[in-house]
Amino acid sequence: MAPSLMTSHELASYFKPSLCIFDLKASNKREALGEMVEAVCADRDIRDRGLILEMLLNRESLGSTAIGKGVAFPHGRTLAVRDLSIVFARSAAGIDFDSVDRKPTHVFFLIIAPPQDRDNVYLQVLGRVVDRIKDDASRDRIATAQSFDELKVIIEGQGL
């Protein structure tokens, strides 16, 4: 993916305390997706929870969004949302998310967006989050962040 024009500060602006789950309760992929979708629906007052979950499960059926090293990027576009949302979630125990390295997934960035957005922000956000997680030090800090403020500083690239 080509480098995007989005800055780290702009990326961080898409993260919200209400969309951060620091202690994911789920024990499998479907439950994890459901818990993250529930956070989006509660935050955005969305009633089409089932539609969003079905879209994400369909996307996962094409190939897991768990890229290894304990990280997954479940994502997709749906008519059920008007604005791009990012849910950050972490599972201390880890979840079998069909990762390419066959190891448990601990860190999740769920990204959902409407079918079209003029500036293709969806792909820019996805690209920037992937870039941020590629760095071992950033990934380790994200995996151990204890608060929204700490996570936001890491996403912004400060103190690296």
Side-chain angles (χ1 to χ4, degrees):
M1 180 176 288
S4 66
L5 303 173
M6 180 176 286
T7 68
S8 294
H9 183 71
E10 288 170 324
L11 173 64
S13 73
Y14 285 95
F15 287 81
K16 295 173 62 177
S18 57
L19 293 177
C20 290
I21 306 168
F22 288 94
D23 184 21
L24 201 61
K25 305 284 189 253
S27 60
N28 62 50
K29 183 185 278 198
R30 185 181 193 90
E31 288 174 5
L33 290 171
E35 203 171 326
M36 290 183 278
V37 167
E38 198 58 50
V40 171
C41 290
D43 183 72
R44 302 282 184 167
D45 191 28
I46 298 168
R47 291 175 184 78
D48 293 330
R49 178 187 186 282
L51 187 64
I52 297 170
L53 183 57
E54 182 180 340
M55 176 273 296
L56 291 166
L57 289 168
N58 286 340
R59 168 60 190 86
E60 289 295 323
S61 73
L62 300 174
S64 179
T65 57
I67 62 166
K69 298 189 179 188
V71 182
F73 299 96
H75 62 277
R77 294 180 183 267
T78 174
L79 289 167
V81 299
R82 289 194 186 130
D83 302 304
L84 183 135
S85 293
I86 301 175
V87 176
F88 168 80
R90 184 177 60 221
S91 167
I95 295 170
D96 179 358
F97 218 76
D98 303 317
S99 179
V100 295
D101 63 5
R102 301 190 189 284
K103 295 182 179 173
T105 301
H106 296 275
V107 175
F108 301 85
F109 292 92
L110 176 115
I111 304 169
I112 57 172
Q116 288 134 9
D117 59 294
R118 195 168 2 133
D119 299 323
N120 219 0
V121 173
Y122 168 73
L123 291 179
Q124 289 187 55
V125 164
L126 184 58
R128 290 295 289 158
V129 173
V130 170
D131 285 347
R132 178 59 66 217
I133 210 79
K134 279 183 191 172
D135 175 70
D136 289 343
S138 277
R139 187 175 55 255
D140 291 347
R141 287 184 63 212
I142 287 168
T144 57
Q146 296 299 308
S147 68
F148 171 75
D149 291 335
E150 189 179 343
L151 176 68
K152 190 168 180 180
V153 165
I154 300 163
I155 296 297
E156 288 177 344
Q158 298 174 12
L160 294 176

